[in-house]
Amino acid sequence: MNTLLGLSHNASLLIWALVTVILLILLIAKFKWNPFVSLLLSSVFLGLVNGMPGHEVTASITKGLGSTLGSIAIVIGLGTMLGKMMAESGGAERIATTLMDRFGEKRVHWAMMIVGFIVGIPVFFEVGIILLIPILFTVARKMNMSLLKIGIPMLAGLSTVHGLLPPHPAPMIAIEAFNANIGRTIGYALIVGIPSAIIAGPVFGAWIGKRIMVRPSERRDEQFRNTTGRSLPPFWITLFTILLPVILMLSGSVAEIVDPANTHPLTVFFKFIGDEVMALLIAAVFSFFSLGYARGLKKEDLSRFTSECLAPTASIILIIGSGGAFKTVLIDSGVGQAIAAVATGAHMNVIVFAFLVAALIRVATGSATVAMTTGSGIIAPVLTLTPGANVELVVLATGAGSLILSHVNDAGFWMIKEFFNMTVPQTLKSWTVMETILSLVAFGLIMLLSVLI
């Protein structure tokens, strides 16, 4: 079944991938099957119809699920604990109250975009969501707003830096592959990223928030609610606690830029504490003191809070893991290579080529990081044959393409769906559209810059 009606192998792979995605959406949206089971079944179907032996299909699923959860499960667990400490201490309410006082109800969605932009610079997208969800829920509850009006701007800020702005790990992959100048890349990224985030965030968020009204589930809202009745902690210690993992990860990124050979002991140390797992572990433990013991909470309270908050994450972790399994089967079955072959067969402007290659890989695999990594490997040889190309803009075009059309094979899609308590169609209409707007606006601005520079 790995060929279809006499079509070429690559065309057959792409058609079966499309059929599988449609099947997956029908199972979840129409037949209301559990996403975890649906993703696993779709992974098996895709592997078999593309000619993978049964034992390779199961091995691919196991590898994908395990590799996805290897870090994300730890990140979600520690991030949820940190979020719970912010909630129970009143820290999330303090930040939310301060934002509302400073920006007012009419402009709070702009504040959420700025927070997402700042927090997202050194951290992976999933980490940023975990850190900011307590603040988002608190603002939505206190202002009686749809999660999407203020959540979409936050997500736009996080996504923008994830795909475009160094020293985030994803853009750094392309910078190293293309030998681009990091300073110029940052400058262009800010020119492109800020207006893109504004259009995809506050502007689109205000529009879609009026049309899709969602609230967090009672169970998850309770998870991030202050139940102690104590006075709120100071704003600055709360802000420092939530930014601590950001600061640690940023220190690791800076150390690697300053000393890429890792020859100095301080570089090794900062890279160690700047790893996302270590940074969140340090921040979580710090929160036990800054937002726990310092606020009068007892050790029994901390034990209860940190245990209770993990239970609701089980379904999210399993769904994200199965999304990773689906992504790996897409890659192992040859769909990723088929996309690369189709893209390289076309002759076009190298900036357009970079965007399309990353976009196609993103749509097929669901991972922006995979799109940046794989896309960079495909684009780099083409770039060497294109003298005079602006390599910094090629970096940004690759990043813009890696953000487009997040859908059911993206772990982030399921995380947004679960935290925002949305259906699959609602997630497609809000999150997927937001990512696509962000990607296309950024690409348009990159093309404009290529003409002006």
Side-chain angles (χ1 to χ4, degrees):
M1 297 181 69
N2 59 338
T3 58
L4 192 67
L5 298 178
L7 295 173
S8 69
H9 180 62
N10 285 343
S12 178
L13 287 171
L14 296 176
I15 290 173
W16 278 123
L18 178 61
V19 169
T20 306
V21 170
I22 294 172
L23 172 65
L24 178 58
I25 293 173
L26 288 174
L27 285 175
I28 297 170
K30 183 174 178 60
F31 298 106
K32 309 299 181 185
W33 281 34
N34 182 278
F36 176 65
V37 175
S38 300
L39 281 162
L40 292 181
L41 284 175
S42 299
S43 302
V44 173
F45 175 78
L46 180 64
L48 292 178
V49 297
N50 279 334
M52 292 178 68
H55 67 278
E56 290 186 11
V57 174
T58 55
S60 184
I61 289 172
T62 304
K63 179 179 69 174
L65 194 147
S67 61
T68 301
L69 294 186
S71 59
I72 289 182
I74 301 173
V75 165
I76 290 176
L78 292 172
T80 301
M81 287 185 182
L82 179 58
K84 183 66 171 176
M85 291 306 303
M86 287 185 58
E88 292 292 351
S89 67
E93 187 172 351
R94 169 60 73 193
I95 291 180
T97 302
T98 303
L99 287 176
M100 289 184 286
D101 290 343
R102 299 282 172 85
F103 286 85
E105 182 176 346
K106 293 183 178 179
R107 295 186 298 273
V108 72
H109 53 309
W110 291 87
M112 294 303 294
M113 183 197 73
I114 295 169
V115 170
F117 203 94
I118 294 172
V119 170
I121 289 174
V123 305
F124 278 102
F125 181 78
E126 293 82 3
V127 180
I129 293 176
I130 293 294
L131 291 176
L132 296 179
I133 277 293
I135 298 174
L136 176 65
F137 282 10
T138 305
V139 172
R141 184 172 60 248
K142 293 179 75 69
M143 289 193 162
N144 193 31
M145 283 185 175
S146 168
L147 277 181
L148 290 178
K149 181 177 180 179
I150 51 177
I152 287 292
M154 181 192 81
L155 296 174
L158 288 171
S159 287
T160 299
V161 295
H162 178 71
L164 300 177
L165 192 65
H168 194 283
M172 288 302 297
I173 293 169
I175 286 173
E176 293 172 6
F178 303 157
N179 196 28
N181 179 280
I182 188 170
R184 283 198 295 269
T185 305
I186 291 174
Y188 295 154
L190 291 173
I191 294 172
V192 169
I194 291 174
S196 300
I198 289 173
I199 294 171
V203 175
F204 175 67
W207 184 84
I208 196 68
K210 296 176 182 177
R211 289 158 177 81
I212 301 178
M213 296 295 295
V214 290
R215 296 279 189 272
S217 66
E218 284 296 325
R219 187 181 184 190
R220 204 149 278 140
D221 189 31
E222 190 66 30
Q223 180 185 358
F224 295 116
R225 192 188 293 261
N226 176 12
T227 60
T228 63
R230 290 177 170 83
S231 60
L232 303 183
F235 174 74
W236 291 111
I237 189 62
T238 305
L239 185 64
F240 177 76
T241 301
I242 193 175
L243 287 180
L244 181 56
V246 177
I247 294 169
L248 293 175
M249 292 181 205
L250 186 58
S251 71
S253 299
V254 171
E256 191 162 13
I257 292 170
V258 173
D259 181 21
N262 299 329
T263 56
H264 199 283
L266 279 178
T267 304
V268 177
F269 171 74
F270 281 117
K271 283 189 66 179
F272 172 67
I273 64 172
D275 177 85
E276 61 178 355
V277 172
M278 285 306 304
L280 276 169
L281 177 60
I282 293 169
V285 173
F286 180 77
S287 73
F288 297 163
F289 293 89
S290 64
L291 301 178
Y293 298 129
R295 305 302 306 157
L297 297 178
K298 300 177 181 178
K299 57 184 179 182
E300 293 82 7
D301 296 326
L302 295 185
S303 177
R304 178 167 56 86
F305 294 155
T306 53
S307 297
E308 287 177 351
C309 72
L310 293 179
T313 65
S315 62
I316 295 176
I317 289 173
L318 286 175
I319 291 170
I320 290 173
S322 57
F326 185 48
K327 173 189 73 179
T328 304
V329 172
L330 279 165
I331 296 171
D332 291 349
S333 65
V335 175
Q337 291 179 343
I339 290 172
V342 171
T344 52
H347 301 285
M348 61 184 72
N349 179 291
V350 68
I351 294 177
V352 177
F353 176 77
F355 175 81
L356 290 178
V357 167
L360 287 169
I361 297 172
R362 156 70 158 183
V363 172
T365 66
S367 170
T369 304
V370 169
M372 290 285 280
T373 306
T374 308
S376 297
I378 297 169
I379 297 159
V382 178
L383 194 56
T384 59
L385 301 175
T386 314
N390 189 314
V391 291
E392 289 76 27
L393 292 184
V394 177
V395 169
L396 297 185
T398 308
S402 74
L403 296 176
I404 201 167
L405 205 65
S406 166
H407 61 101
V408 293
N409 64 345
D410 180 10
F413 177 93
W414 298 105
M415 182 176 279
I416 300 302
K417 174 190 175 299
E418 294 300 311
F419 273 127
F420 281 62
N421 195 31
M422 291 191 290
T423 64
V424 168
Q426 287 175 331
T427 313
L428 289 168
K429 292 174 184 177
S430 55
W431 159 253
T432 302
V433 172
M434 183 276 288
E435 285 281 84
T436 304
I437 291 173
L438 180 60
S439 173
L440 294 177
V441 171
F443 176 61
L445 292 172
I446 292 165
M447 292 301 297
L448 180 60
L449 273 180
S450 71
V451 174
L452 299 177
I453 295 175

